[in-house]
Amino acid sequence: MTDRRGNEPPRKRGAAPGRGNPPSKAQPRRPSATDSGRTTPQRPESTRERLLRKAREEQERAQAAAAPRPVKKAAARRPPAPRKQTPAAKKTPAKKTAAKKTAAKKTGERPVKKVAAKRPVKKTSGKKRPPQNRPAPRPKKRKVKKAPRMLRLGRPALRLRMTFGVMAFVLSLFAGRLVLLQGVDPDSYAQAATKENARSYILHASRGTIEDRNGVELAVTEDAVAITADPQQTKPVAQQLAAILAPKLPGTTTAKLVAAMSGTGRFTYLARQVSPTVWSTIQAEIKAANVPIAEQNKGKPKEQQAPMLAGLYTEEDPIRSHPNGSIAATLVGVTGSDGKGQSGLEYGLNDKLSGKDGQAMYEVDARGNKIPNANHTVQEPKPGLGVQLTLDSDLQYFAEKRIQKAVEDYKASAGTVVVMDVKSGELMAMANYPSFDPNKKYTSADLNNPALERSYEPGSVQKVVTMAALADAGIIDLNTKLQVPGSIEVQRRIIKDHWSHDTMNLTISGVIAKSSNVGTIMAAQKMPIAQFVKYLHDFGFGEPTGLNFPGETKGRLSPGDEWPEITRSNVAFGQGLSVNAVQEAAAVNAVANGGVYVPPKVVRNYIDANGSLIPNQTAPARRVVSEKAAKEVTTMMEAVTAKKGTAPQAAIDGYLVAGKTGTAQQVVPGTGKYGAWATSFAGFAPADNPRFVTYVVLHDPQGARGGGLQGGPVFRDVMSYALQKYVVPPTGAQQPNIPLTWTSSKR
């Protein structure tokens, strides 16, 4: 036992060093094999374990905070009782505190504060407060923080394998592309690279020439150029270049040229089909304008020099011209600025005339200029076929001038003349007036060809076809006699002749010579309607002519063969159907040709690049009436040009002429009512050995109307010219004395 001083607490064993010895640190004792009950030293805590432990502690603290706290009953407090002081307590507080601190230092322990004992609380003499039945407050749910996600370190070997795999795949793509470029198809890629620095030029094919039967050129292709510009070069000098170009290029203005030369891109057209002479003049003016600019630029730095006039180029752009002006213009037609046909034969035969364009490919520099001696390819153009027509340009010219005079003399709106070779069906002339000159300005309305594109009611010329059908069917002959009244009623409609008369005794030749509508109806009523309709189709009515001309009309013929009687009666004398001029001429030509219908022909031959002729094949000829019937109708027509006929003005000295007049009412477009007229004359000569058929029609003539009066003189002049040019001798036949009337005593 050791002595204690004062109130010094007893020392615990091993808790403090001996008296007077300084405290020393306890040395850790190495565990032995026999210390089985002792704990073995543990390894240091890892980062993962430390994080997990902290997470568990935070979770426990959160759960403890969320648990409900017990409610303590409030106890009544007593007043504190007086404390008895012991001898030790009588010491001063300062001395007590110092003694405690000294003891604590000696023992190495912290001084323990004495907590005063709670004084017992006196219970009040009142009643106890009843317990309240309140539910315990629900603990607030707090979100438990999830443990932080641990980052797993990858395996380097796997990463390396994946990296090498991706690199090998990419390199295989490059290798495959290289094999494709250099081994499989190197030429196509080389060509694609060449195209990037190449420019193509169209080599226009030479358009075929259109000429008449004698080789006279009606439409030819002449050399011309298209003026183009590179806006990147012309933009700085667009105003100066436009001032030079505008006066020499009709159809454009200075403003349009400036806008074109100041645009974007590297290529634009300024003008098409410019003659080489005009381009040479433009080049000379540009060269002269560049001389003073070059003088001003001498000695100046490049950035201070004025731009030279440059950037204009040309390419071949052939132009279509018509050496004979308006001759056959409505038949030949015109081409557009693109070199393609727009009307007439130029349009209808465009595929044969145009040929096939070629192409040239040249390497160019950055400015678009051809690189000399660089690689280039040229695909030569294939020229188009030439066309030889059946027309005679001399006869065509004469016919155009003659119909022009007739239109002007009779104040007609239009006129047409068709001349046809009887045996071959070749159209020797197809003249229209008004016409136009393709070398000058024209409108779209000028491009029509009325000989094929205009339909009208033919009038009494149609009686030639009616009589040929009746004669072929054996219903009439030259001895047929009719008592013809001044009018006839058909289905409650009254039809009259063009002159007033009482009942007349007319032969069938007299019916034709006098052009009696009533007599024609009386003869036609003896033929079944279906048979009559078949004859009309055989003569080519209601069908195309076979010329394949663009815009051609096939006329109008009532469909079927079950016509009412009024339709058959009207058609018999040339009303109630419509035709074009070539259709009517071909029908009359069948009678002149001994009853054989020959399809009309306007293209005689095609001409290849070597000058060889390729005949144009047409539909075969066909017989429509017998030769006897055709001869009988020819005899009837000879009486028309006799002194007692309706067209003595059409007679030609020394030649026997067969003809027929026509005067027909026309429907005014847009009204559906008759209000206009067309007068016509058709005939052939020599009548006993026909060579040519000529058909004349005048639309809307003024003054006294009549096919013989107005159309007869035009027929006579044109037919006389054709007979003289082709040296057709007179046959010497005399005008036959054909009886036109008959008397009852001679019956």
Side-chain angles (χ1 to χ4, degrees):
M1 296 292 292
T2 56
D3 295 333
R4 289 183 294 176
R5 294 180 181 178
N7 293 330
E8 182 180 355
R11 288 197 298 264
K12 293 181 181 180
R13 183 179 296 176
R19 185 184 306 169
N21 294 327
S24 61
K25 292 182 181 179
Q27 295 296 328
R29 180 177 177 270
R30 181 178 297 177
S32 64
T34 57
D35 295 337
S36 59
R38 298 182 183 177
T39 58
T40 58
Q42 297 180 353
R43 62 179 176 83
E45 188 178 27
S46 65
T47 304
R48 182 173 179 277
E49 292 172 342
R50 179 172 53 82
L51 292 175
L52 290 175
R53 179 177 53 77
K54 287 185 177 182
R56 284 195 299 270
E57 292 175 355
E58 288 180 4
Q59 186 174 3
E60 291 173 357
R61 283 196 295 269
Q63 291 176 355
R69 296 179 180 178
V71 180
K72 295 182 180 180
K73 293 182 180 181
R77 291 187 177 181
R78 289 183 181 179
R83 291 184 295 178
K84 292 182 180 181
Q85 293 185 355
T86 58
K90 289 181 181 180
K91 291 182 180 180
T92 59
K95 287 182 179 181
K96 267 187 182 180
T97 305
K100 286 182 181 180
K101 286 182 180 181
T102 304
K105 285 180 181 180
K106 289 180 179 180
T107 57
E109 291 179 353
R110 293 182 180 178
V112 180
K113 289 183 179 181
K114 290 185 179 181
V115 180
K118 290 184 180 180
R119 297 178 181 178
V121 180
K122 265 189 179 181
K123 294 184 180 179
T124 57
S125 61
K127 294 182 180 179
K128 289 185 179 180
R129 187 177 181 181
Q132 297 183 6
N133 298 326
R134 292 182 181 177
R138 292 183 180 179
K140 292 183 180 180
K141 293 184 178 180
R142 294 186 182 182
K143 292 183 179 180
V144 180
K145 292 184 180 180
K146 294 182 179 180
R149 191 172 181 180
M150 303 304 295
L151 179 64
R152 294 185 178 181
L153 299 178
R155 290 175 289 177
L158 180 60
R159 288 201 302 270
L160 286 174
R161 282 195 294 270
M162 292 179 65
T163 303
F164 282 125
V166 172
M167 291 176 63
F169 176 73
V170 173
L171 290 175
S172 65
L173 293 179
F174 281 107
R177 184 64 174 168
L178 190 61
V179 170
L180 182 65
L181 290 175
Q182 294 186 352
V184 178
D185 194 12
D187 294 337
S188 62
Y189 292 98
Q191 291 176 3
T194 303
K195 287 182 180 179
E196 293 292 329
N197 298 320
R199 181 177 174 183
S200 63
Y201 297 85
I202 296 176
L203 302 179
H204 294 281
S206 177
R207 191 173 180 85
T209 301
I210 299 177
E211 57 186 43
D212 78 341
R213 65 189 301 118
N214 301 313
V216 177
E217 293 177 337
L218 301 176
V220 297
T221 298
E222 295 181 353
D223 292 336
V225 296
I227 301 177
T228 65
D230 182 353
Q232 291 191 8
Q233 299 181 50
T234 58
K235 189 172 184 179
V237 291
Q239 194 67 42
Q240 298 94 311
L241 289 173
I244 297 173
L245 294 171
K248 299 171 183 60
L249 302 177
T252 188
T253 62
T254 302
K256 290 181 180 179
L257 291 171
V258 171
M261 290 187 287
S262 302
T264 58
R266 299 298 305 271
F267 180 85
T268 184
Y269 280 106
L270 300 181
R272 304 291 299 269
Q273 297 180 340
V274 179
S275 68
T277 304
V278 173
W279 172 242
S280 298
T281 305
I282 292 172
Q283 282 183 307
E285 290 195 21
I286 292 175
K287 186 176 180 180
N290 278 331
V291 172
I293 298 175
E295 291 293 333
Q296 294 175 5
N297 290 339
K298 284 184 178 179
K300 292 184 179 180
K302 188 175 182 180
E303 60 273 7
Q304 296 180 5
Q305 292 180 359
M308 303 288 287
L309 303 186
L312 297 184
Y313 303 93
T314 60
E315 61 181 40
E316 291 183 6
D317 192 17
I319 190 173
R320 198 71 164 170
S321 68
H322 300 77
N324 288 283
S326 62
I327 294 179
T330 56
L331 175 65
V332 172
V334 298
T335 58
S337 58
D338 57 356
K340 296 181 180 179
Q342 287 187 327
S343 68
L345 295 176
E346 292 276 20
Y347 179 81
L349 302 176
N350 185 71
D351 292 342
K352 290 182 171 62
L353 290 166
S354 59
K356 187 176 181 181
D357 290 342
Q359 187 180 35
M361 188 79 70
Y362 294 94
E363 289 190 36
V364 296
D365 58 17
R367 293 187 176 183
N369 300 317
K370 295 179 185 178
I371 301 175
N373 301 323
N375 293 331
H376 64 277
T377 58
V378 177
Q379 183 181 356
E380 296 294 338
K382 184 180 180 181
L385 294 175
V387 177
Q388 184 185 47
L389 303 182
T390 61
L391 298 184
D392 184 315
S393 58
D394 293 337
L395 181 59
Q396 176 76 20
Y397 174 78
F398 184 86
E400 287 180 358
K401 292 301 180 183
R402 189 61 186 85
I403 193 63
Q404 178 182 354
K405 184 177 184 302
V407 169
E408 293 172 351
D409 289 346
Y410 302 116
K411 296 180 176 58
S413 63
T416 297
V417 176
V418 176
V419 180
M420 193 171 182
D421 185 276
V422 172
K423 300 299 181 182
S424 65
E426 293 179 348
L427 295 169
M428 307 293 290
M430 189 189 297
N432 296 291
Y433 187 82
S435 186
F436 69 101
D437 187 347
N439 297 320
K440 299 177 182 179
K441 287 186 177 181
Y442 52 83
T443 63
S444 58
D446 298 330
L447 303 180
N448 295 327
N449 182 3
L452 286 164
E453 298 182 51
R454 182 169 184 170
S455 63
Y456 58 95
E457 297 187 41
S460 293
V461 173
Q462 187 68 17
K463 293 172 183 176
V464 174
V465 176
T466 301
M467 292 303 172
L470 294 172
D472 185 67
I475 296 173
I476 64 167
D477 56 25
L478 292 175
N479 297 319
T480 301
K481 299 178 179 65
L482 298 173
Q483 288 185 328
V484 181
S487 63
I488 188 173
E489 181 179 352
V490 180
Q491 290 184 333
R492 294 181 296 180
R493 296 187 184 182
I494 303 300
I495 300 175
K496 300 179 180 180
D497 282 331
H498 64 88
W499 84 101
S500 298
H501 63 86
D502 294 330
T503 300
M504 297 178 63
N505 294 333
L506 296 176
T507 64
I508 199 67
S509 298
V511 171
I512 293 297
K514 299 291 185 181
S515 193
S516 172
N517 297 336
V518 176
T520 303
I521 293 172
M522 292 173 64
Q525 286 177 341
K526 298 178 182 180
M527 176 180 280
I529 292 177
Q531 186 180 10
F532 180 59
V533 173
K534 182 181 182 303
Y535 274 109
L536 292 174
H537 283 291
D538 289 344
F539 274 95
F541 296 108
E543 306 292 339
T545 61
L547 296 176
N548 296 322
F549 190 85
E552 176 187 349
T553 176
K554 65 177 183 179
R556 181 180 60 84
L557 190 65
S558 296
D561 56 6
E562 296 180 0
W563 294 356
E565 183 60 40
I566 186 63
T567 300
R568 190 262 297 277
S569 299
N570 286 334
V571 171
F573 66 88
Q575 300 276 185
L577 82 162
S578 64
V579 301
N580 64 51
V582 175
Q583 275 181 323
E584 193 68 23
V588 175
N589 189 79
V591 175
N593 196 32
V596 177
Y597 178 87
V598 181
K601 187 176 185 179
V602 72
V603 176
R604 196 177 193 186
N605 298 300
Y606 294 106
I607 308 171
D608 63 15
N610 299 323
S612 301
L613 298 180
I614 306 171
N616 178 34
Q617 302 297 328
T618 58
R622 61 180 183 269
R623 179 168 289 280
V624 291
V625 295
S626 65
E627 187 175 358
K628 178 178 177 293
K631 183 61 179 176
E632 289 177 343
V633 174
T634 299
T635 303
M636 298 176 196
M637 295 174 67
E638 290 172 0
V640 174
T641 59
K643 291 182 180 180
K644 295 182 180 181
T646 55
Q649 303 91 338
I652 302 174
D653 293 341
Y655 291 90
L656 188 60
V657 177
K660 183 68 190 78
T661 60
T663 304
Q665 288 182 301
Q666 305 297 314
V667 176
V668 178
T671 65
K673 298 180 180 180
Y674 286 109
W677 294 84
T679 59
S680 57
F681 186 90
F684 47 88
D688 53 342
N689 186 19
R691 175 65 193 277
F692 300 113
V693 166
T694 300
Y695 178 58
V696 180
V697 59
L698 290 166
H699 296 284
D700 306 317
Q702 305 300 313
R705 291 182 296 271
L709 177 65
Q710 297 171 328
V714 179
F715 166 86
R716 179 194 63 216
D717 295 343
V718 174
M719 179 65 80
S720 298
Y721 184 92
L723 294 172
Q724 291 173 11
K725 177 169 176 133
Y726 285 90
V727 195
V728 179
T731 60
Q734 299 296 320
Q735 186 77 38
N737 187 13
I738 303 171
L740 305 181
T741 61
W742 57 276
T743 60
S744 57
S745 60
K746 295 181 180 180
R747 197 169 185 178

